[in-house]
Amino acid sequence: MQNRGGIFWGVALITAGLLFFGQRMGWVAFDWEVLRNLWPVLLILAGVNLILERRNRQAALATTILLGVAIPLILFSFVGQRRQWRSGNDNRFDYRNNDRDSNNDDSDEDIDSAYDEERTDRVKTESRTAFVEAMNPATRTATLNLVGGAGRFSIGEPVAELIKADANQTVGSYKMDVDRDADTQNTTINLNPSDGEKDSDGDVNINLGDGDLDNRLDVRLNDKPAWTVNATVGAGKGTFDLSRYVVRNIKIEAGAAEVELTLGGKATQSDVKISSGVASITVRVPKNVGVKVKREGAMNVNSLDGFTDVGGNTSISPDYEKAANKINIDFEGGISTFKVVRY
């Protein structure tokens, strides 16, 4: 117990030191509000650590190290900005970067005045981009590769075009590349973020002080081709409603994110692979489709109501063997909540 305590404080101090050093050097640029919303994960991780203390010392050591990293990160998301109550016509909390307080000789009134002036002069810039690719009736299969950092990402209802996407960002912009293979009639679409504009010091201009960071990508697809979807979500939320599409393969990689995936079971077989770090994953599948779920990762909270455990960390729905259409889900998580809901 004492050894684990020493490891915890050692990892925690190193992590905290790196965070503050990175902030001073201008390396830390992140939407901390997203991380603040994930603080309940600490409770889950702490509970798992207590359970494993007597059952599995190696696993308990792993959770201790993860706690040593996670706790400074969450705390930094709260204290990394100066929080002060401001009164006026609209009472509210203002979040300010601690770098503004580097001169300790300034009074609170001077700081407030300087901050208000800065806030008035600051201009929020947004980049709004619309992407459209026409549908070719000869297209039989299509692949969407979507890469996102921090923000909100969604796939919604079908459109007549092959793809329509709307991107709205205060940092950088998105770019779309389309590759059509005439031999296979497959079309590959790549949606990737580009770098944000940089100032004279080479730092990306990210306005976190007033919560101005906005990164949203909304995608709609054509429902005629059979789709392969590869999505990477670093932090934030991904809402992928694929219930109206024929989807053969899905691969989702999530960091510190909340992901909601809805499938329609329109393909004879859909293979789903999900990997996550510190995340909340919910997969919705139709009741008339056979579902098999394989899970990896000892520090996850799983909810598989109505499924039968068949061994090897694998569970199946009661009608899996007889079902005409099947969905196979392979989940691998770090510290995550994973839930499969049949609708």
Side-chain angles (χ1 to χ4, degrees):
M1 185 68 179
Q2 292 180 350
N3 290 338
R4 284 202 293 273
I7 292 174
F8 168 79
W9 285 110
V11 173
L13 290 173
I14 291 173
T15 303
L18 289 173
L19 286 171
F20 283 107
F21 181 74
Q23 183 191 44
R24 292 300 177 186
M25 296 298 294
W27 298 340
V28 179
F30 188 77
D31 187 358
W32 291 105
E33 184 177 358
V34 173
L35 193 58
R36 283 197 298 271
N37 292 334
L38 293 174
W39 69 264
V41 174
L42 291 179
L43 300 179
I44 298 172
L45 183 56
V48 172
N49 182 261
L50 290 174
I51 293 173
L52 293 176
E53 276 188 359
R54 296 183 179 179
R55 297 185 177 182
N56 191 325
R57 291 187 176 181
Q58 290 183 347
L61 178 61
T63 56
T64 298
I65 294 174
L66 289 171
L67 278 170
V69 174
I71 289 178
L73 280 171
I74 297 296
L75 291 177
F76 190 82
S77 71
F78 282 96
V79 304
Q81 294 171 326
R82 178 172 173 263
R83 189 191 321 184
Q84 176 179 337
W85 179 258
R86 298 179 56 81
S87 61
N89 294 333
D90 53 340
N91 292 333
R92 63 191 181 276
F93 275 113
D94 278 343
Y95 292 89
R96 312 175 186 184
N97 195 302
N98 280 334
D99 290 342
R100 297 190 182 96
D101 300 334
S102 58
N103 187 354
N104 295 326
D105 295 334
D106 291 341
S107 65
D108 288 342
E109 290 79 6
D110 293 337
I111 294 173
D112 288 344
S113 177
Y115 175 74
D116 289 338
E117 182 179 354
E118 175 191 352
R119 184 175 183 179
T120 301
D121 294 339
R122 186 185 298 133
V123 178
K124 176 181 178 181
T125 59
E126 292 185 351
S127 173
R128 292 184 174 89
T129 311
F131 301 97
V132 178
E133 181 70 17
M135 175 62 184
N136 185 340
T139 301
R140 295 292 179 263
T141 60
T143 300
L144 171 64
N145 298 317
L146 187 157
V147 177
R152 295 178 179 270
F153 311 92
S154 71
I155 299 178
E157 62 184 15
V159 291
E161 296 80 5
L162 179 64
I163 183 173
K164 290 185 70 174
D166 295 310
N168 185 356
Q169 312 101 284
T170 51
V171 179
S173 60
Y174 270 85
K175 59 182 179 181
M176 185 175 79
D177 299 321
V178 180
D179 181 24
R180 296 181 180 271
D181 192 318
D183 295 331
T184 63
Q185 301 300 329
N186 179 75
T187 300
T188 300
I189 304 168
N190 298 308
L191 267 173
N192 301 301
S194 59
D195 293 335
E197 295 183 358
K198 298 184 178 181
D199 57 23
S200 58
D201 296 327
D203 296 326
V204 178
N205 292 318
I206 302 179
N207 187 7
L208 295 178
D210 293 328
D212 286 340
L213 181 62
D214 183 19
N215 184 23
R216 185 175 184 91
L217 180 64
D218 299 310
V219 178
R220 293 186 293 170
L221 306 171
N222 190 287
D223 59 359
K224 298 300 188 295
W227 284 92
T228 293
V229 177
N230 302 310
T232 300
V233 179
K237 184 173 183 178
T239 306
F240 305 125
D241 185 355
L242 302 175
S243 58
R244 301 185 185 182
Y245 301 99
V246 178
V247 183
R248 293 179 178 174
N249 295 281
I250 308 168
K251 182 179 180 181
I252 297 177
E253 296 181 0
E258 177 184 355
V259 175
E260 296 181 2
L261 172 64
T262 303
L263 303 174
K266 294 184 176 296
T268 303
Q269 178 173 316
S270 296
D271 294 320
V272 181
K273 183 175 179 60
I274 302 174
S275 59
S276 66
V278 182
S280 172
I281 311 293
T282 300
V283 182
R284 294 182 172 86
V285 294
K287 291 183 178 179
N288 62 344
V289 175
V291 181
K292 179 169 66 175
V293 180
K294 183 177 181 181
R295 307 174 307 283
E296 296 291 341
M299 292 172 288
N300 299 308
V301 178
N302 302 305
S303 178
L304 300 173
D305 296 337
F307 284 75
T308 302
D309 189 353
V310 295
N313 296 323
T314 302
S315 301
I316 61 174
S317 61
D319 54 353
Y320 178 77
E321 298 297 339
K322 297 180 180 180
N325 293 352
K326 293 180 171 62
I327 296 176
N328 300 320
I329 303 174
D330 189 346
F331 171 74
E332 181 178 357
I335 310 168
S336 304
T337 59
F338 175 65
K339 179 167 60 176
V340 178
V341 178
R342 305 188 73 195
Y343 67 91

